[in-house]
């Protein structure tokens, strides 16, 4: 059974000793950070200002909240991890260590619940299209707010038990809650079951049911706007399940009581732990590409923006050339006019002398 070691902050035992490997991990996290900042910001702004995602309004609200959650995860988790990898240690002080440690659990838990709400609501819309009319954007905001609030239970519980029970983990170069109090022997499995296991099962079950309903309606409906919503939801859920699968295997092996899983210095507890926890963040950058592939309106929005950039650049260079030519002409005229006056004056003098 997995047992957290209190010396995870020991750089010699758990840190990355090879600078090249450490910088490679830093580059990977930097790629995740930049991709999330770019992709999630476009999703939020375009859906709010330009209505670029033309799906069911209730689903669009959830999509927007998922993008906000992914963006915050990148700022709270991926950014400090990138800096810590480059600096080979925590450099943000003790106060931000608490925010980073509790933020990982809170925002990851909220993201899971939001994905669960997305698959469940899409299943309800497909199953009961007439009853789904009451799923307005306002009610979507309320449900998402409730999920954000429920997710607080994930961090309030350990904060009330022992808020100082955190450590900088050199395996993953981020801060985490240790759950070292005796009460966690039964409380931690309960929290995992309520906020991780059950939502994951619900995501898997609703996704399978969506596939079954989609297969049943395949020959009855040809409306792309409805089908693209189904495909989008299924892909978001599938990518999430794939990104969390390696960590699920890690947790299952750890709690199964395997002998090698109890050794804190084994490959399983160090390198594999680092890999699976970094693999999870692929879920934070995948949604932008999923929407670009499956949602026609979002894809057309991106194409129009790229086309505007292409049109703007030549026109800008042309206008700049015109301005430059005008300035050169003015300068030329300002120089040539005095010379012309001097030439005329010299001709007048020569004529007077001749006379």
């Amino acid at each position: 059974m997995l047992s957290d070691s209190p010396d995870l902050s020991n750089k010699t035992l758990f840190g990355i000793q090879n600078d090249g490997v450490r910088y490679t991990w830093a580059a990977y996290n930097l790629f995740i950070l930049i991709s999330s900042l770019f992709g999630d910001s476009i999703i939020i702004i375009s859906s709010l200002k330009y209505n670029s995602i033309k799906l069911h309004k209730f689903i669009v609200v959830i999509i927007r909240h998922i993008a906000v959650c992914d963006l915050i995860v990148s700022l709270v988790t991926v950014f400090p991890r990138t800096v810590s990898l480059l600096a080979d240690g925590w450099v943000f002080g003790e106060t931000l260590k608490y925010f980073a440690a509790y933020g990982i659990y809170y925002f990851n838990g909220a993201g899971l619940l939001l994905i669960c709400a997305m698959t469940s609501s899409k299943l309800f819309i497909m199953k009961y299209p007439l009853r789904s009319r009451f799923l307005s954007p306002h009610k979507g905001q309320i449900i998402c707010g409730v999920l954000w609030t429920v997710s607080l239970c994930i961090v309030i519980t350990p904060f009330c038990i022992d808020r100082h029970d955190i450590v900088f983990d050199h395996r993953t170069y981020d801060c985490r809650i240790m759950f070292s109090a005796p009460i966690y022997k039964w409380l931690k499995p309960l929290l995992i079951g309520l906020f991780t296991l059950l939502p994951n099962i619900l995501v898997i079950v609703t996704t399978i049911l969506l596939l079954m309903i989609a297969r049943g309606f395949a020959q009855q409906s040809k409306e792309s706007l409805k089908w693209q919503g189904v495909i989008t939801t299924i892909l978001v859920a599938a990518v999430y399940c794939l990104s969390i699968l390696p960590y699920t295997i890690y947790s299952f092996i750890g709690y199964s009581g395997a002998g090698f899983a109890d050794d804190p210095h084994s490959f399983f507890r160090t390198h594999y732990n680092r890999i699976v926890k970094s693999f999870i963040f692929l879920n934070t950058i995948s949604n932008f590409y999923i929407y670009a592939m499956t949602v026609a309106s979002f894809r057309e929005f991106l194409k129009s923006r790229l086309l505007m950039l292409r049109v703007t650049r030549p026109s800008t260079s042309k206008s700049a050339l015109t301005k430059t030519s005008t300035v050169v002409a003015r300068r030329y005229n300002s120089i040539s006019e005095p010379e012309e006056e001097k030439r005329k004056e010299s001709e007048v003098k020569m004529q007077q002398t001749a006379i």
Side-chain angles (χ1 to χ4, degrees), residues 128-261:
Y128 308 103
L130 296 179
R131 298 181 184 179
S132 62
R133 294 179 180 178
F134 80 92
L135 294 177
S136 62
H138 177 68
K139 292 182 179 178
Q141 296 285 2
I142 294 176
I143 291 178
C144 290
V146 171
L147 296 178
W148 282 101
T149 305
V150 171
S151 301
L152 287 173
C153 298
I154 303 173
V155 294
I156 289 178
T157 303
F159 184 84
C160 293
I161 293 174
D162 185 4
R163 66 178 182 274
H164 302 297
D165 189 23
I166 61 174
V167 68
F168 177 75
D169 190 351
H170 265 94
R171 298 176 302 178
T172 52
Y173 281 79
D174 57 15
C175 300
R176 56 171 296 184
I177 304 173
M178 291 297 294
F179 300 101
S180 58
I183 193 176
Y184 287 119
K185 289 183 178 180
W186 63 268
L187 183 59
K188 186 176 180 180
L190 179 62
L191 292 174
I192 292 174
L194 290 176
F195 296 103
T196 303
L197 185 60
L198 287 180
N200 274 289
I201 292 175
L202 189 57
V203 168
I204 295 172
V205 171
T206 52
T207 303
I208 293 174
L209 291 176
L210 272 175
L211 286 170
M212 294 174 61
I213 293 176
R215 184 179 179 182
F217 290 156
Q219 298 177 350
Q220 301 178 8
S221 176
K222 301 294 183 181
E223 298 181 15
S224 59
L225 189 62
K226 293 182 180 180
W227 282 109
Q228 68 183 359
V230 177
I231 297 172
T232 301
T233 305
I234 291 174
L235 285 179
V236 169
V239 171
Y240 169 78
C241 292
L242 289 175
S243 66
I244 203 71
L245 180 61
Y247 183 73
T248 304
I249 296 173
Y250 171 81
S251 300
F252 177 77
I253 294 176
Y255 283 103
S256 66
F260 65 89

